[in-house]
Amino acid sequence: MLPLLLALAVTGQNTTAIELKNSCPPSFELSNNNTCLLVSRYDLYDSLHDKGVGGTQTSLPKARDGFSPQQIDLGRYLFFDPLLSGNHRQACASCHQPDKGFTDGKALSTGTHGDVGNRSAPSLWNVTFLKKLFWDARADSLEQQALIPLFAAHEMANSAEQLLADLSTNKIYPALFKQAFPQAAQLELSQVATALAAFQSSLISLNSRYDQYAHGYHEALDTDEIKGLNVFRSFVARCAECHTPPLFTNQQIAVIGTPEPDGMPFDQGAGNSSDKKKLRGAFKVPSLRNIAKTAPYMHSGRFATLEEAAEFYTKGRGHAVQEQKLLLHWHIWEPKLTPEEISQISKFLHTLTDESLMPELPTALPSGLPLPAELQHNTTTAAAEATPSIAPSSEQGTQP
């Protein structure tokens, strides 16, 4: 398919071209039907990923791939564009910042209007493998998950009507959507969800030092890190029974009894209705990939460091929320880990860091709006890409 070149007319300037990429991101192969299929060394293994504690050479769950290169690249623009928020000041990437493991570094995320939420922003690395999304596992697909924050009053505070109007009247986006969805008669909300899901599915992190060790290069980890891995997988600590390699989550929902920050009411989690009483205080077991980049930890950012999070588990079953009378997961007990073992676990978790497939930040956005302030410091280190400089309109929110 020939790239579709889109003319961007800026008053007083020469016409410049924008085009969506027609090649897949790294680690994906382009198929004959113009879809990107994920390829990794874990494809070589046929052991079950959903049984036992997970060996070092265990297969991954099925990835949610099969998007076109154009859909992925359109999703990248949308993900970083504040045009998607109600006041055109906040982007998806405001709460999922690339340099913070696709989180925001806050205990509780902040919405478009300054509203403080009741949960932290989860990382988006490797979400292509996840069966449930959000801390309370209420979304079954990336497409469903992508739209919920856009229209939540305490998050991006937009409406479907305004979002579609902003995109449809923009001088650039309609043609980009036509390139990504050539069979569609008009721009629709489902296409926004698909494009955002496509971009998120491309956020792959599978080449950490741990992965190199798992694939046979044992020199990738030092002595303390290997000891940490052994403690992590031991029947004493039992970390790997929920944070199962190689994804480092078993994708289940668990009640572990994490305390809320001081002054914050108890969060019911997945047990927020009368027919889910057994899940009261339950949250999705998160992947630990790039965990060293995503502090603070737990659903409400209760713990500042990995050591604090590990120490929470060793202090004993239900010690922090006894007054709530929760049905704690049976894996939560009293491992009585030593300070040295906790330190070794922390050192091992640092080996799960891999940002080698970090996506490029757009140097300019089709909307003509600037990147949100919290992202602009990234542009000095982001790899340069062949997109034009777009002059922001004189009034924020209007189209170029």
Side-chain angles (χ1 to χ4, degrees), residues 41 57 209-221:
R41 292 192 67 174
Q57 296 188 348
R209 288 195 295 118
Y210 163 77
D211 295 298
Q212 295 166 26
Y213 177 89
H215 296 315
Y217 179 56
H218 286 199
E219 290 77 7
L221 303 187

Side-chain angles (χ1 to χ4, degrees), residues 317-334:
R317 186 175 175 85
H319 69 277
V321 287
Q322 293 179 4
E323 71 281 0
Q324 295 294 336
K325 298 180 180 179
L326 302 177
L327 297 176
L328 295 174
H329 194 283
W330 68 277
H331 285 176
I332 305 301
W333 65 314
E334 298 180 33

Side-chain angles (χ1 to χ4, degrees), residues 315-377:
K315 282 186 175 180
R317 186 175 175 85
H319 69 277
V321 287
Q322 293 179 4
E323 71 281 0
Q324 295 294 336
K325 298 180 180 179
L326 302 177
L327 297 176
L328 295 174
H329 194 283
W330 68 277
H331 285 176
I332 305 301
W333 65 314
E334 298 180 33
K336 294 182 172 59
L337 300 177
T338 67
E340 181 182 17
E341 289 171 324
I342 290 175
S343 175
Q344 289 169 344
I345 289 176
S346 176
K347 289 177 180 177
F348 164 67
L349 293 177
H350 278 76
T351 73
L352 300 180
T353 300
D354 167 38
E355 298 176 312
S356 59
L357 301 186
M358 181 72 75
E360 299 172 79
L361 269 68
T363 56
L365 298 169
S367 67
L369 296 169
L371 283 170
E374 57 270 18
L375 298 173
Q376 291 181 15
H377 68 280

Side-chain angles (χ1 to χ4, degrees), residues 145-173:
Q145 177 275 328
L147 294 181
I148 292 176
L150 298 182
F151 308 133
H154 66 287
E155 294 188 66
M156 296 179 73
N158 208 342
S159 66
E161 295 75 16
Q162 178 182 329
L163 176 59
L164 288 175
D166 286 342
L167 291 171
S168 297
T169 57
N170 180 271
K171 295 187 178 188
I172 304 303
Y173 270 122

